[in-house]
Amino acid sequence: MNPITPIINGLKITLSHMFKKPITLQYPDERPKVASRFRGLHALNVSHNKAKCVACYLCPTVCPAKCITVEAAEDANHDKYAAKYEIDMLRCIFCGYCVEACPVDAVRMTTTFELANYRREDFVFGKERLLEKK
Amino acid sequence: MVNLTIDDKQVTAPKTATIYEAAKLNGINIPILCHDSKLKPFGACRMCLVEVEQMKGRQIPACTTPVTEGMIIRTSTPDIVKARKMVLELLLLNHPIDCPVCDKGGDCDLQNLTYEYQVSANRFTDEKFQHEIDYNNPLIERDMNRCVLCGKCARICDEVVSFGALTFIDRGIETKIGCEFEGALNCEFCGSCVSVCPVGSLLARPFKFKARFWALTKQKSVCGYCGTGCNLTLGVQDNKVLTTIYDAEQGFHKGLLCARGRFGYQFINNDKRLTKPMVRKDGALREASWDEALQFVAGRLKGGNVAALSTARLTNEEFVLFKDLMKLAGSASYDHSAGYAHSALTKGLSRSFGVAASTATILDIQKSDLLLVIKTDAYETHPVVGFEINQAVKNKGVKLSILSDKRGKLGKLPGAKTLVHAPGTEIALLNAITKVILDEKLTAGTAASVAGFAELERALSDFTPEAVAGQTGIDAASIVQFARDYASAEKALIIFPTGLAYPGHNADLASAAANLAILTGKLGTEGSGVLCMAEKNNSQGAVDMGFYPANGGKDAGQILEDCASGSVKTLFVAGENPLVSYPDRSKVSAALDKVDCLIVSDLFLSETAAMADVVLPACSFAEKEGTFTSVDRRVQYFKPAIKKVGLSKSDFEIFSVLINLLGGQAPASPAAAFADIAASAPGYAGMSYAKLGEEGAFAPVDVKPALVAPAVVRPTVEQGKLALLVGSVLYHCGTLSQYGEGPMYVCPEGYVEISRADAAAHKVSEGDLLTVTSSTGSTQLKARISPRLPAGVVFAPYHFEAAQVNTIWSGAAVTWVTVGK
């Protein structure tokens, strides 16, 4: 093969890109379309105006990163609820085991991926921050 | 033994065993929901169905069928598995699937079996139960919707605890477990029903929703309350003791615990725990560094004129170090309240038996023919011993004779004979019984050769049943019959308690009891002897370690007198709260006020610690290692379950530093200290932490009997007044249980128990606030009207600071009081 040919072929490719629309996402001006099963920030599902979580402790039990802290308490009707539900996002590996283990469909993972922060404590998501916002 | 075949395996089993027991003995697991080794076979759940070849393949319950020679048994054929699956399906028909919220989740027999037998669907349908859940009780929650009707709760409450709070009510598909008249649970709250419940029907409310079973770290330990020496499994998470876990194979008591053992653990993580040392500056206790506090203490100890009082809750190793510290400080005056309470052991038993220890063990209770229980309701002072007595009487047919100044639960056991004597006359009564044995020649053949026989005979010449009858309030014929019953039993065991606040439980009571055993030869054999039950968890250890006055040292009473007179300048109080627990509050208060320097090491800022110049935060048993010796000299090792709370230190560490500061050489570790104990303490030879293991070991007792004539104090009777008895109440032990939420839920305050006759005479109603006045003071206590007290007698527990019972109780054998609204 003529040694010049590959160079010309390469230049052709380069030249063709000059006339194509760029595929780079101009984040943050442009937002990505995230797949619905993307494993981003967790959310606590709500039912009848309260968190569905019954504080069964299965999510902290299966969590391989040990990033979930649950504390159960008894409400006025003697029912069990999660007085504290906390996820340390600095430890979380977004494996989704917590969602799989949940027997009452109380926790899910959202498409929220923008979790950057300036302070370590801001990475700790408590119950209020995790509750499904309606 | 019989030979049989289980699952093609040739095995042997005792003749009395059931198929279930035979299989278990040989490592073959048969699933079951309604069985507990402490209970009689019941055969309710049908999970333990097995096939016996000789029974033509019929499926029979393994738990109620006794083994016979040559039986061929199959435990898991396809038919059996199918039957068990159906049993589970039927149980799950009504049982709610609320495992995520049920505290039993992870530790539930039904859940485990459902998983094991893969019951993921149900062929049947029915409605779930809709029983009302009983939340009324602060300690035990009853959700009968989850009940599988195994009956274990009702059976243990009846067969072991002997309370009978729970029973089957209604019939057929309406059957459920309930209380009398379907009311709320109102019992002793020992929690035995909770412990054996295989599902989540009965739950411990203090632990409710605190953690899941699988997340708990289980640490075996020894109970820190009374001297029974029960084993515990502490459930720990995040450095907090959250619960006690039932282990049916643990300890001689097979996992049984009393109300305080099961529900009284909260003091360990109580918010009021001391976490930093404090030194008094400008009249107030202020936080200080350990270095500052210990240097100050060492300086005071070097100054001389030192004495020490200790709780009997320290470990054996700590007692040895405390004693060494006092020796370095030049003092022989140290006591663990022996001067008040444990002279029965230190003086009484040592002069009668030549050893300051019981000759019998708790295990002898079920091996005896007759139990002579003196001045105790063991159900109250040592509840698990009470369970043992109950099982002996009900299951083994052991006879029970009780001498007491008030009736108790023991007296309700089948065939129990109770002689209720006038307060303070117990020694005269025992002497009269001894006299009958001597007069009727009911003595053992060797009795006459025992040292002191002639002197005793002479000393008891006036104690004829007729002479004593008037004084004690018991007729002569009953005394004679009592003596004959005791003497004629082949094996007989005498049980009596000692405690700081039990008047009359002194050296002479111990000698009077010992005389009976020695004279009749009921000593040194299985099921016989004397069992002296000291109050606190290591009272016997304190005695064995020699932490009581000897060689010119002074006892607790004398130490306080010396403090008041100024001859003791520095008093080191370790874990004790004499201001509440010692008799004669004004005297104790004056003594503590007068002393130049009061050093207190404690878990809490007790009333005594609040008066101190230096307060050292100490550790609970759950944070340290060491050994406790139970009332029957079972030496048991325990290790930490949690890290030390705050900056607290174990008393071992505190004493070690102080010994070093005083120029001595402390052992490097509790293990090293125990090695020294094993080399020097009688009976402890050859012991080590490794050898003690989980079972512990008995320190043998070498008895050299001698008959001692006990001194009898004739209490003066004050007409128109009531005799005050002071002692322990079931839910409490010493003053420590005041910091346990469980005991305080059930018994939150002091009270005065009064007979129905006296209540009527004084126009007292239940709950009335009574002013109780004695020659030493007066206090206000709520009235409890009780059928168990004879007329003329009142009882008050001593544990509570607010009740201030020791303002009216001076320590005399009988305190006469008046009551008024």
Side-chain angles (χ1 to χ4, degrees):
Chain A
M1 188 192 286
N2 188 337
I4 302 298
T5 309
I7 294 171
I8 291 170
N9 286 342
L11 285 172
K12 273 185 193 167
I13 293 168
T14 306
L15 200 63
S16 71
H17 277 279
M18 292 180 76
F19 301 101
K20 282 182 183 169
K21 197 177 173 188
I23 58 165
T24 307
L25 196 67
Q26 296 303 301
Y27 181 83
D29 297 330
E30 291 176 57
R31 314 291 299 176
K33 281 183 188 164
V34 181
S36 58
R37 56 183 182 179
F38 178 83
R39 296 201 292 254
L41 177 68
H42 305 66
L44 288 174
N45 292 337
V46 169
S47 173
H48 297 89
N49 288 325
K50 63 177 187 178
K52 286 173 89 173
C53 175
V54 293
C56 70
Y57 291 84
L58 285 184
C59 47
T61 302
V62 297
C63 179
K66 301 291 168 214
C67 67
I68 306 176
T69 308
V70 180
E71 277 178 21
E74 190 176 359
D75 67 14
N77 297 321
H78 301 288
D79 290 331
K80 194 178 184 184
Y81 77 101
K84 180 179 178 182
Y85 194 101
E86 206 170 83
I87 303 180
D88 183 351
M89 289 300 166
L90 286 177
R91 294 183 65 94
C92 181
I93 57 169
F94 299 93
C95 63
Y97 284 6
C98 47
V99 179
E100 284 185 44
C102 184
V104 292
D105 185 33
V107 64
R108 65 187 159 87
M109 299 183 90
T110 65
T111 52
T112 305
F113 60 88
E114 291 152 307
L115 300 172
N117 251 311
Y118 290 101
R119 298 184 308 166
R120 297 188 71 83
E121 52 268 37
D122 289 337
F123 287 93
V124 178
F125 283 70
K127 194 175 166 186
E128 276 309 307
R129 291 174 77 189
L130 291 171
L131 266 178
E132 176 191 26
K133 301 289 185 288
K134 285 197 170 174
Chain B
M1 300 293 275
V2 295
N3 301 298
L4 61 159
T5 309
I6 305 178
D7 290 344
D8 301 323
K9 190 176 161 190
Q10 299 288 327
V11 298
T12 56
K15 270 194 284 189
T16 52
T18 60
I19 294 174
Y20 176 82
E21 287 163 348
K24 195 173 180 190
L25 272 175
N26 290 285
I28 298 164
N29 180 45
I30 297 176
I32 196 160
L33 289 166
C34 68
H35 178 81
D36 190 283
S37 58
K38 295 175 287 293
L39 301 174
K40 291 172 188 160
F42 196 53
C45 72
R46 301 283 134 175
M47 275 303 291
C48 66
L49 294 173
V50 293
E51 283 178 10
V52 178
E53 198 169 292
Q54 288 89 337
M55 294 184 180
K56 297 172 186 169
R58 271 170 52 207
Q59 291 174 352
I60 56 162
C63 72
T64 53
T65 310
V67 290
T68 54
E69 183 68 33
M71 253 185 180
I72 300 170
I73 300 157
R74 297 194 192 283
T75 68
S76 51
T77 63
D79 280 350
I80 290 171
V81 171
K82 199 174 157 190
R84 285 180 187 156
K85 271 189 173 186
M86 192 174 79
V87 169
L88 288 170
E89 282 177 288
L90 292 169
L91 286 174
L92 291 167
L93 260 184
N94 305 115
H95 187 93
I97 312 299
D98 59 352
C99 307
V101 294
C102 177
D103 268 338
K104 196 73 176 173
D107 185 31
C108 172
D109 290 352
L110 182 62
Q111 191 184 41
N112 292 344
L113 288 171
T114 303
Y115 183 74
E116 186 183 337
Y117 284 87
Q118 298 288 302
V119 183
S120 50
N122 205 331
R123 289 170 286 161
F124 313 108
T125 52
D126 195 10
E127 285 181 13
K128 300 291 181 189
F129 290 130
Q130 297 294 328
H131 300 307
E132 195 177 337
I133 301 170
D134 179 7
Y135 297 112
N136 298 317
N137 189 297
L139 296 179
I140 299 170
E141 181 174 306
R142 294 189 307 125
D143 182 353
M144 286 307 125
N145 301 313
R146 294 176 182 152
C147 182
V148 292
L149 295 169
C150 67
K152 279 160 89 172
C153 52
R155 288 151 60 210
I156 202 160
C157 195
D158 175 33
E159 292 175 24
V160 176
V161 184
S162 200
F163 195 93
L166 297 163
T167 188
F168 287 97
I169 52 179
D170 292 335
R171 292 289 180 272
I173 57 168
E174 300 294 327
T175 308
K176 65 177 177 183
I177 294 285
C179 304
E180 55 186 359
F181 305 111
E182 293 208 39
L185 186 62
N186 182 18
C187 65
E188 290 175 359
F189 308 108
C190 65
S192 297
C193 52
V194 176
S195 66
V196 293
C197 181
V199 290
S201 277
L202 295 161
L203 294 170
R205 275 183 72 79
F207 177 57
K208 192 178 177 189
F209 301 157
K210 287 272 192 337
R212 300 316 294 255
F213 181 77
W214 59 79
L216 294 172
T217 305
K218 289 93 183 169
Q219 178 58 55
K220 292 191 174 183
S221 190
V222 181
C223 184
Y225 279 116
C226 80
T228 309
C230 298
N231 292 179
L232 287 177
T233 301
L234 300 173
V236 176
Q237 193 184 38
D238 298 335
N239 207 42
K240 287 200 162 126
V241 176
L242 296 181
T243 187
T244 50
I245 294 166
Y246 175 62
D247 178 352
E249 302 302 322
Q250 195 177 15
F252 75 92
H253 50 99
K254 302 289 176 206
L256 286 170
L257 292 173
C258 67
R260 54 198 182 218
R262 195 170 309 281
F263 293 122
Y265 54 83
Q266 298 93 343
F267 75 90
I268 298 165
N269 292 112
N270 192 303
D271 292 339
K272 291 181 186 163
R273 279 283 300 270
L274 293 169
T275 54
K276 287 178 183 167
M278 289 189 283
V279 176
R280 192 170 292 278
K281 289 172 189 163
D282 306 324
L285 282 170
R286 299 187 195 285
E287 285 180 3
S289 68
W290 267 109
D291 198 38
E292 184 191 350
L294 290 173
Q295 287 288 354
F296 180 84
V297 172
R300 298 300 310 206
L301 294 178
K302 279 178 190 162
N305 298 324
V306 177
L309 296 174
S310 174
T311 174
R313 300 196 194 283
L314 301 188
T315 65
N316 289 327
E317 297 75 9
E318 288 168 346
F319 274 122
V320 170
L321 259 64
F322 202 6
K323 203 169 136 184
D324 289 348
L325 179 64
M326 283 301 111
K327 280 181 187 163
L328 276 172
S331 173
S333 296
Y334 41 81
D335 198 356
H336 73 286
S337 70
Y340 283 124
H342 298 98
S343 58
L345 268 172
T346 56
K347 209 189 284 178
L349 290 189
S350 48
R351 71 189 179 190
S352 291
F353 295 142
V355 57
S358 302
T359 64
T361 69
I362 295 170
L363 300 176
D364 281 315
I365 290 173
Q366 298 211 42
K367 295 172 186 163
S368 189
D369 293 328
L370 182 139
L371 302 172
L372 173 54
V373 182
I374 301 169
K375 276 196 73 166
T376 173
D377 195 330
Y379 272 120
E380 274 193 316
T381 58
H382 299 73
V384 174
V385 173
F387 298 163
E388 288 285 313
I389 294 173
N390 171 48
Q391 290 177 86
V393 172
K394 283 188 175 170
N395 299 345
K396 308 273 171 73
V398 177
K399 290 178 184 158
L400 181 59
S401 298
I402 303 162
L403 296 176
S404 187
D405 40 21
K406 62 180 187 297
R407 290 185 185 276
K409 200 175 130 189
L410 278 185
K412 294 178 184 169
L413 292 179
K417 287 183 187 172
T418 308
L419 295 188
V420 180
H421 59 79
T425 62
E426 57 275 355
I427 299 171
L429 183 56
L430 282 169
N431 279 352
I433 294 170
T434 313
K435 169 92 174 141
V436 173
I437 288 171
L438 285 168
D439 288 351
E440 298 195 359
K441 311 280 184 223
L442 301 172
T443 51
T446 54
S449 61
V450 178
F453 183 83
E455 290 85 346
L456 181 70
E457 257 193 332
R458 268 198 303 279
L460 298 188
S461 59
D462 294 337
F463 288 90
T464 59
E466 293 75 20
V468 169
Q471 184 190 345
T472 58
I474 296 169
D475 63 276
S478 297
I479 296 173
V480 171
Q481 190 56 48
F482 222 74
R484 287 174 186 163
D485 287 348
Y486 176 77
S488 61
E490 195 177 327
K491 295 180 282 181
L493 176 63
I494 299 174
I495 303 172
F496 69 96
T498 59
L500 188 49
Y502 313 154
H505 292 216
N506 53 20
D508 292 308
L509 180 73
S511 287
N515 288 343
L516 275 178
I518 297 167
L519 279 175
T520 55
K522 294 178 180 25
L523 200 64
T525 52
E526 192 181 76
S528 294
V530 176
L531 182 60
C532 173
M533 302 193 300
E535 187 182 23
K536 307 269 173 63
N537 59 326
N538 203 27
S539 297
Q540 183 65 51
V543 173
D544 289 350
M545 298 307 115
F547 200 86
Y548 60 93
N551 305 324
K554 298 195 171 168
D555 70 24
Q558 293 161 335
I559 287 170
L560 287 174
E561 279 167 20
D562 284 357
C563 290
S565 71
S567 56
V568 166
K569 302 286 184 197
T570 302
L571 179 65
F572 196 144
V573 180
E576 187 65 289
N577 190 4
L579 203 57
V580 176
S581 56
Y582 279 35
D584 206 339
R585 189 185 184 94
S586 58
K587 188 177 138 192
V588 178
S589 177
L592 297 182
D593 265 339
K594 186 76 196 294
V595 77
D596 277 359
C597 180
L598 177 62
I599 304 156
V600 174
S601 73
D602 207 325
L603 274 66
F604 300 96
L605 193 65
S606 66
E607 295 72 19
T608 303
M611 294 177 72
D613 297 287
V614 187
V615 178
L616 307 172
C619 287
S620 73
F621 74 98
E623 297 146 68
K624 59 187 179 186
E625 74 167 336
T627 53
F628 288 145
T629 306
S630 67
V631 292
D632 54 357
R633 293 238 285 182
R634 187 200 304 263
V635 187
Q636 300 190 99
Y637 170 70
F638 61 94
K639 57 186 177 185
I642 58 170
K643 290 178 197 155
K644 295 181 180 78
V645 171
L647 295 179
S648 63
K649 286 180 190 285
S650 69
D651 286 288
F652 187 91
E653 290 169 313
I654 294 170
F655 300 148
S656 292
V657 175
L658 290 172
I659 285 172
N660 293 336
L661 286 173
L662 262 63
Q665 180 73 46
S669 65
F674 191 72
D676 294 342
I677 292 169
S680 57
Y684 286 65
M687 291 185 186
S688 70
Y689 281 177
K691 284 184 191 164
L692 289 178
E694 284 183 4
E695 300 290 315
F698 284 111
V701 182
D702 186 16
V703 179
K704 294 183 185 69
L707 293 162
V708 178
V712 177
V713 179
R714 288 195 171 212
T716 52
V717 178
E718 296 187 23
Q719 294 301 327
K721 291 190 175 178
L722 303 170
L724 172 72
L725 305 175
V726 184
S728 281
V729 68
L730 170 63
Y731 308 101
H732 290 277
C733 183
T735 56
L736 179 66
S737 50
Q738 284 186 101
Y739 299 95
E741 289 167 26
M744 293 302 276
Y745 275 139
V746 193
C747 185
E749 58 184 358
Y751 58 86
V752 60
E753 210 173 323
I754 186 167
S755 69
R756 282 178 178 163
D758 290 324
H762 290 83
K763 296 190 171 60
V764 173
S765 304
E766 183 80 17
D768 282 355
L769 197 60
L770 299 181
T771 303
V772 186
T773 309
S774 76
S775 59
T776 56
S778 144
T779 189
Q780 288 198 311
L781 298 165
K782 274 189 186 167
R784 273 196 195 177
I785 299 170
S786 160
R788 71 171 183 156
L789 288 171
V793 178
V794 291
F795 169 76
Y798 76 99
H799 318 277
F800 305 95
E801 157 57 12
Q804 300 203 355
V805 168
N806 61 348
T807 56
I808 52 173
W809 163 60
S810 62
V814 184
T815 302
W816 296 98
V817 296
T818 55
V819 295
K821 286 194 196 173

